[in-house]
Amino acid sequence: MKPHPGKIILFPVPMGDAAPASVLPASNIDMLRGVRYFAVENLRSARRFLRAAAGREFDIDACTFTELSEHTPAAAVDAMLAPALQGHDIGVISEAGCPAVADPGADIVACAQRSGLKVVPLVGPSSIIMSLMASGLNGQRFAFEGYLPIEGPARNEAIRAMDRDAIRTGRTHIFIETPYRNLRLLQQLATTLSPSTLLCVATDIGGPAECIRTLPAARWSRTDCSYVDRTPTIFLIGSHR
């Protein structure tokens, strides 16, 4: 008799050093304790999360882990579904925040959808959504842009295009950068955006140095921004509401 297929369960992970029980529902942790197969972005951080969330009684050595990064070949991602096809649930764990949102976990979810497997998203912290919530910008119309182009001219054009759209439609544009390039991006935003366009800089969300500020672009050029250097940051641009 063919086994009933397992589920693909998306487990959010706290950001920073927050204790899992302080930010995750108890139902997440209860469900986590029943899973023994995991697709994880980083093996070391996933094991650390499991120890902190599931407790000492959880037998982590009885678990099977496969690493899923942006470099994982498509064929290898398909193979990760084998336990689910044999009736076992698979937990997907990102390094921080919600898996499959700006995260390689999206690849296994896409495979699961093509295979007709049930995907279960669980509630938890998402720096993208949390920054939007606290920005004061339009939460009805928004777009996540991922990473902007690295090259200066292409990046300037991308910034100007988002600026024009925010002014014309009121849409909020959300994007990220590699932390060591945050300061350079912020300086470029301050000088490229229209002076009155609102720019929110959301830094270290969920961490001890959390800072979420929304100011007109022109103000950022006169603001001490050194704290964003090498710190995880979300950038949002929008218009006055």
Side-chain angles (χ1 to χ4, degrees), residues 159-227:
I159 292 170
R160 292 190 181 103
M162 291 188 295
D163 191 13
R164 291 191 297 268
D165 183 74
I167 293 170
R168 182 175 62 85
T169 69
R171 188 181 356 254
T172 300
H173 292 266
I174 310 169
F175 47 99
I176 53 180
E177 180 54 286
T178 303
Y180 73 87
R181 290 200 289 257
N182 280 344
L183 191 54
R184 184 171 64 185
L185 173 59
L186 182 49
Q187 292 166 344
Q188 191 170 1
L189 289 166
T191 57
T192 305
L193 291 169
S194 302
S196 61
T197 293
L198 294 176
L199 170 61
C200 176
V201 179
T203 303
D204 195 33
I205 296 175
E210 180 179 275
C211 181
I212 304 173
R213 297 186 70 189
T214 301
L215 299 170
R219 285 274 303 280
W220 283 106
S221 61
R222 306 191 300 271
T223 301
D224 179 10
C225 306
S226 58
Y227 64 92

Side-chain angles (χ1 to χ4, degrees), residues 5 21 28 38 45 82 121 132 134 157 217 227 236:
N28 282 27
F38 294 94
S45 65
L132 179 61
E157 180 50 40
Y227 64 92
L236 307 90

Side-chain angles (χ1 to χ4, degrees), residues 4 27 37 46 70 95 137 170 192 202 226 237:
H4 187 75
S27 56
Y37 292 87
E70 58 184 358
E95 283 199 80
L137 302 178
T192 305
S226 58
I237 65 174

Side-chain angles (χ1 to χ4, degrees), residues 30-44:
D30 289 342
M31 191 174 293
L32 186 69
R33 290 179 177 137
V35 178
R36 291 297 180 271
Y37 292 87
F38 294 94
V40 304
E41 184 177 11
N42 180 280
L43 180 57
R44 185 175 180 180

